[in-house]
Amino acid sequence: MSNSVLMQEITWPEFETKTKARAPFFLPVGATEQHGPHLPLGTDVFLPTHMAKEVAKRIGGVVAPTIPYGYKSQPRSGGGQAFPGTTSLAANTLTLVVCDVLHDLALHGVRRFVVVNGHVENAWPIIEGIDLALREMRRDGIADAEILRLEYWDFIKPETLDRLFPEGYPGIDLEHAALIETSLMLLIRPDLVDVPKTPTHGHAEFSAYDRYPVRPGLVPATGVLARATGASAEKGEWLATDHIEGITAAIRKEFDL
């Protein structure tokens, strides 16, 4: 009997036991996207997967394999598609992938789902995927499925943000590859953080609208949209504690665990 919370590491009888116990199944949805010269392309995969695993350990859940590609990177929240290595899906493709995974898990007995988003641009394609999956489930006679969708960064406590940003929080869009993500990566995968290459420039300056095609020079050349200096594993621990405790509490409340 495996003690792993990862779906790919358990057997089918163990999977079936979990579904009969109505265990929550987590589906992290990430991205393969540039995160500056100091963080790996898989940052948006590592972070939601870590949060899902830690919460699953606390509530007896299972973490399905993370979807590693997300919706197209946007200049004002992710730097954009022009950076080498950023490999994305069309919105409709991501929607259908989310739908198919949730629907297939439901056909195998899963009834409680937690979709954990790790990439700002994924939000609406995920919502559409959930909506379509529920329609598919109802068509197949599955009427008791429950799905929670969340962005892990929404669980940062105000007092933690005050500690991290005494001069004011720039917002999650500008935090791409900046203090929050760098601190979390220093906590969970320090081997993948090239600290000496951390950019030292300040916040990017954007208009309140988008223009197509994107003007050259709109995004900082580093791909980092806000201050990344000052990141540390200690700050990552503050953040991870908020994320894990907040998500755990929400799931316990919604699923009566």
Side-chain angles (χ1 to χ4, degrees), residues 25-27 29 64 67 95-115 126-134 136-137 142 145-148:
F25 274 65
F26 293 77
L27 176 61
V29 186
I67 297 174
T95 289
L96 294 178
V97 171
V98 171
C99 172
D100 284 355
V101 173
L102 295 176
H103 178 232
D104 226 39
L105 288 172
L107 291 177
H108 289 290
V110 179
R111 291 297 181 268
R112 290 171 166 169
F113 300 87
V114 183
V115 181
I126 287 175
I127 290 170
E128 182 69 5
I130 290 171
D131 183 63
L132 292 178
L134 287 170
E136 297 270 321
M137 293 176 200
I142 300 169
E146 301 173 277
I147 303 176
L148 300 184

Side-chain angles (χ1 to χ4, degrees), residues 39-114:
L39 295 179
L41 291 164
T43 294
D44 286 349
V45 171
F46 294 121
L47 296 183
T49 304
H50 176 79
M51 304 309 164
K53 286 169 58 179
E54 291 303 310
V55 176
K57 291 175 186 177
R58 288 159 173 77
I59 62 173
V62 178
V63 181
T66 302
I67 297 174
Y69 298 109
Y71 178 57
K72 298 167 187 173
S73 178
Q74 300 300 305
R76 291 197 288 147
S77 54
Q81 290 292 125
F83 287 87
T86 300
T87 309
S88 306
L89 301 177
N92 186 56
T93 304
L94 179 58
T95 289
L96 294 178
V97 171
V98 171
C99 172
D100 284 355
V101 173
L102 295 176
H103 178 232
D104 226 39
L105 288 172
L107 291 177
H108 289 290
V110 179
R111 291 297 181 268
R112 290 171 166 169
F113 300 87
V114 183

Side-chain angles (χ1 to χ4, degrees), residues 137-178:
M137 293 176 200
R138 287 191 291 267
R139 181 202 65 192
D140 293 333
I142 300 169
D144 57 344
E146 301 173 277
I147 303 176
L148 300 184
R149 181 201 65 83
L150 58 90
E151 280 78 33
Y152 70 84
W153 53 79
D154 283 340
F155 292 82
I156 307 174
K157 295 177 181 177
E159 53 267 34
T160 301
L161 288 175
D162 290 342
R163 294 172 75 188
L164 288 168
F165 303 100
E167 298 178 0
Y169 177 44
I172 194 61
D173 284 3
L174 283 183
E175 266 301 296
H176 179 76

